[in-house]
Amino acid sequence: KGWADAIFKLHQGRLNVNGSFITEVHLVAREQLRVPGRQQTVKGWAYASYWAADLYENYHGQKVINGSCGGRYFKLGRGGTKVCGGLAVSVRMASAIFSRGNWTFTVHGNRVYDRVSGPTHRLDVSNHGSGDAAARSLPHGLVGQSFASPASRSGRVDDYPLAGTFTTSAMAEGAIDGKAEHYQVPSRYATQFAFSRFNAPAASVPIGHSGIQTSSSPPDLSGNAPHPSRPATGFQSDPAPLEAGAFEVATELPNAD
């Protein structure tokens, strides 16, 4: 799973919070890749993962990102760069920047301040779309749908007391289409969930709030990204179904086709 439970303090230590933080970010993109030694390209897959567990105390690591480009494994640390088709990845200290077309995804590694238990580091994620990126892609996902909505979205948030013990429970109800469980994916590089647009064509008419309805029938997984074979020095763990109730950040890169 891409998150971990944590207990931390707020308000100068007067409040104990039972919450969670994002600890893994996984990205998949379908790319046109050049065939070595030939003047031609073929369709292939790009995968990249950022692991908060690999950050050092001083916010950088030797291999915080690993992945593959057309089946060729790579890993990146501070100052590292990688270009795979139209996807560019760079690492600056604890920040990883993923760029593709008019979309930029920034993942920043940070400490869990006033930690009591749980992970020592967390990942903060931000997205930016320029030009007509949002209008053409109409992205979805927990974060992506905000780019495709013509109106602002406000959902349920937790109201933290000043002292005592508090357990977070808000899941952005009212701001997201459907429910949080509709965004569950079975593995770190899966692209299909209830509102997935990974295989959808480009569009030009923004959707409204709740403009895409959840289907009661199983999704078509025929275009789902295959998981790459694990290299001998590859990914931290073999892919496995998420635990019940867990979900990864389902924010998608637009279709490369």
Side-chain angles (χ1 to χ4, degrees), residues 179-194:
K179 301 178 181 179
E181 54 263 34
H182 292 147
Y183 298 85
Q184 290 178 329
V185 290
S187 61
R188 66 176 66 108
Y189 296 117
T191 62
Q192 293 298 322
F193 58 99

Side-chain angles (χ1 to χ4, degrees), residues 103 129-139 147-148 197 201-207:
W103 289 101
S130 61
D132 64 350
R136 285 180 50 79
S137 301
L138 295 184
F147 286 87
R197 284 188 47 80
S204 59
V205 181
I207 60 172

Side-chain angles (χ1 to χ4, degrees), residues 73-85:
Y73 175 72
F74 66 86
K75 61 181 179 181
L76 300 175
R78 181 177 60 175
T81 61
K82 178 67 177 180
V83 175
C84 181

Side-chain angles (χ1 to χ4, degrees), residues 142-205:
L142 290 172
V143 177
Q145 62 191 286
S146 63
F147 286 87
S149 176
S152 62
R153 297 189 175 205
S154 298
R156 179 171 169 249
V157 296
D158 287 311
D159 184 13
Y160 292 85
L162 294 177
T165 299
F166 179 75
T167 299
T168 61
S169 61
M171 301 292 281
E173 295 91 340
I176 60 174
D177 290 325
K179 301 178 181 179
E181 54 263 34
H182 292 147
Y183 298 85
Q184 290 178 329
V185 290
S187 61
R188 66 176 66 108
Y189 296 117
T191 62
Q192 293 298 322
F193 58 99
F195 304 102
S196 176
R197 284 188 47 80
F198 191 84
N199 295 303
S204 59
V205 181

Side-chain angles (χ1 to χ4, degrees), residues 6-9 16-17 112-118:
I7 300 177
F8 55 96
K9 294 180 178 292
N16 279 348
V17 179
V112 175
Y113 294 97
D114 293 322
R115 167 186 173 272
V116 176
S117 64

